[in-house]
Amino acid sequence: MARILVTNDDGVSAEGLLRLQEVLADIDGTEVIVVAPDREQSATSHSLTLHRPLRLKEVSAGRYSVDGTPTDCVSLAVFWLMKGSPPDLIVSGINSGLNLGDDVTYSGTVSATFEGALLGIPSVAFSQDISAEFSFERAAGFARLLVRSLLAHPLPEGLLLNVNLPAGQLGPVRLTRLGSRVYRQSVIEKTDPRGRRYFWIAGTPEWRHEEGTDHAAVAAGEISVTPLHLDLTDYERLNDPSGLNRWLLALEPEPSER
Ligand code: MN
């Protein structure tokens, strides 16, 4: 019996999560356990709650809510609820909105899979373009197909998949790299009814049009699958004797600074 942990960052009642739970529970020989935030936790990234207690609530059979982040949910699931027989796979989503390129560093959806990778559990994140004509149903159908394959061909340790689905009919699967944004986030200044200033972080993402990226694939109506790992080391720079190591290794700390 394969045990699948389903989580998200849109909250335990989000439609994308419910569709995902439904189709995965339908795969023969699987047991699906849902542990998700009790409210919207989008853009909470990989944050972990350490300075207050967490409450776990069984919402319905096999579905739990946590008053914390997606990473908190994975921790409580793996180290408490599923203790003794950890999940074979962690599936996060289906997020309401894409998680492309640079945005994966903000994403709670993708961060749940980061946590999975750190714990040595194969993990995959699904995000759906929610512009016109999108369908969680269609996305869930593809998720089911991919998850069935992942149960038969588990991911190597440390590798996780970030899947983004286009809004219309689903095109072919494309293996992609992360794209980059061109916009600068803007901050809007307003005044509240008591005359005090407040700020709102805003901005619509625009993407550099580059072949081979997740953005290019989704823009072309294809299903983007980006293999990710958590090692952020820049190996090219690490091993480049004319780069950083030329001056960095020559720095001599003063004795008092040692
Ligand atoms: Mn979200």
Side-chain angles (χ1 to χ4, degrees):
M1 178 73 82
R3 310 233 299 160
I4 302 176
L5 169 63
V6 174
T7 190
N8 75 351
D9 74 356
D10 294 336
V12 73
S13 306
E15 197 197 333
L17 176 99
L18 299 177
R19 292 290 86 78
L20 195 55
Q21 178 186 11
E22 230 168 59
V23 296
L24 298 186
D26 195 43
I27 300 174
D28 279 343
T30 59
E31 184 192 0
V32 175
I33 289 141
V34 175
V35 185
D38 65 353
R39 70 200 76 181
E40 165 104 34
Q41 291 283 339
S42 294
T44 55
S45 187
H46 196 185
S47 79
L48 187 62
T49 303
L50 294 179
H51 300 291
R52 61 170 178 84
L54 289 168
R55 308 286 175 182
L56 178 77
K57 204 162 102 185
E58 185 160 16
V59 182
S60 59
R63 271 181 79 229
Y64 300 83
S65 72
V66 174
D67 59 344
T69 65
T71 299
D72 295 333
C73 293
V74 171
S75 299
L76 259 64
V78 172
F79 295 116
W80 175 253
L81 267 175
M82 305 175 82
K83 202 176 160 188
S85 53
D88 300 288
L89 183 69
I90 295 175
V91 184
S92 184
I94 302 165
N95 188 61
S96 178
L98 296 168
N99 277 304
L100 300 171
D102 301 329
D103 283 349
V104 302
T105 61
Y106 304 108
S107 169
T109 308
V110 179
S111 291
T113 68
F114 288 166
E115 190 61 16
L118 290 178
L119 297 174
I121 301 167
S123 299
V124 55
F126 292 97
S127 302
Q128 168 70 56
D129 183 349
I130 49 163
S131 51
E133 317 245 326
F134 84 96
S135 154
F136 278 127
E137 212 98 348
R138 217 161 23 214
F142 177 75
R144 181 178 192 272
L145 189 70
L146 180 61
V147 164
R148 279 181 64 164
S149 300
L150 283 176
L151 293 174
H153 316 278
L155 295 170
E157 186 148 339
L159 173 69
L160 53 98
L161 299 181
N162 184 37
V163 181
N164 281 282
L165 298 123
Q169 289 298 322
L170 301 179
V173 178
R174 202 62 77 188
L175 216 52
T176 59
R177 64 189 164 92
L178 295 176
S180 354
R181 274 200 304 221
V182 281
Y183 88 103
R184 317 217 181 298
Q185 231 160 18
S186 67
V187 171
I188 294 164
E189 184 194 337
K190 298 260 185 193
T191 310
D192 73 17
R194 298 205 170 92
R196 292 180 314 178
R197 277 191 311 174
Y198 68 90
F199 299 94
W200 209 286
I201 294 171
T204 312
E206 275 173 39
W207 297 91
R208 222 172 270 156
H209 287 279
E210 287 172 327
E211 273 309 297
T213 60
D214 47 5
H215 168 261
V218 171
E222 298 164 347
I223 300 169
S224 166
V225 180
T226 310
L228 296 176
H229 58 66
L230 273 173
D231 184 351
L232 298 176
T233 311
D234 185 335
Y235 286 96
E236 215 173 296
R237 299 260 182 342
L238 181 68
N239 300 316
D240 175 14
S242 64
L244 279 179
N245 355 15
R246 191 165 49 88
W247 59 268
L248 197 60
L249 301 181
L251 293 178
E252 295 250 8
E254 293 295 317
S256 62
E257 292 174 16
R258 280 174 204 262

